[in-house]
């Protein structure tokens, strides 16, 4: 994660108590990195996607087929496939093709990236 340090300059003078943030040093995330992080969070910030993640994570084999998910969720295949694509593109799920079916499993590296976003960084 790229972090850039910016120091605020005090334009009103150091003895001006009303100057807001005159001694503040901001640690900003690089804008491109912030956009990637936001896209990852958006990919999981949906009730159906959270349900899908838990269903796959808790399945006996650690994976699920689209047909299994549609039955559990009560949704049609195109809707479930749409959610699975978003989560796979974000790196949260791994996809394996077996004949005409696709099987999905949790990508633990993707979940680690979310954890890294949400846990406070030590500076």
């Amino acid at each position: 994660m790229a972090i850039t340090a910016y120091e605020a300059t005090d334009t009103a003078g150091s003895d001006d108590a009303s100057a807001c943030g005159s001694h503040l040093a901001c640690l900003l995330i690089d804008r491109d990195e912030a956009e990637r992080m936001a896209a990852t969070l958006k990919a999981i910030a949906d009730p159906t996607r959270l349900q899908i993640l838990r269903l796959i994570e808790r399945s006996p084999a650690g994976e699920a087929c689209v047909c299994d998910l549609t039955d559990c969720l009560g949704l049609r295949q195109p809707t479930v496939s749409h959610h699975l694509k978003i989560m796979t593109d974000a790196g949260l799920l791994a996809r394996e093709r077996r004949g005409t079916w696709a099987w999905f499993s949790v990508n633990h590296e993707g979940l680690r990236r979310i954890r890294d976003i949400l846990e406070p960084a030590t500076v």
Side-chain angles (χ1 to χ4, degrees):
M1 178 179 349
I3 297 179
T4 308
Y6 293 95
E7 286 193 33
T9 57
D10 183 6
T11 57
S14 61
D15 59 340
D16 185 359
S18 66
C20 180
S22 62
H23 302 287
L24 179 65
C26 298
L27 296 176
L28 296 177
I29 300 168
D30 176 69
R31 184 63 184 202
D32 290 338
E33 179 68 13
E35 288 176 5
R36 282 190 296 275
M37 293 165 78
T40 300
L41 291 173
K42 286 179 186 178
I44 199 164
D46 179 273
T48 300
R49 293 183 202 135
L50 287 170
Q51 288 178 314
I52 289 170
L53 184 70
R54 288 294 183 241
L55 282 169
I56 295 171
E57 186 178 57
R58 293 176 180 165
S59 69
E63 61 184 8
C65 177
V66 176
C67 61
D68 297 327
L69 296 170
T70 56
D71 291 344
C72 288
L73 295 166
L75 298 172
R76 296 182 53 197
Q77 181 272 327
T79 302
V80 174
S81 291
H82 167 75
H83 288 296
L84 291 168
K85 180 178 179 357
I86 290 170
M87 295 172 71
T88 302
D89 289 349
L92 302 173
L93 296 178
R95 180 179 184 265
E96 181 184 339
R97 190 79 142 147
R98 297 183 195 158
T100 58
W101 297 103
W103 290 80
F104 295 86
S105 59
V106 174
N107 179 348
H108 293 284
E109 178 62 27
L111 290 182
R112 187 195 59 74
R113 285 195 313 273
I114 289 178
R115 208 171 4 264
D116 289 348
I117 293 169
L118 299 176
E119 289 179 351
T122 56
V123 182

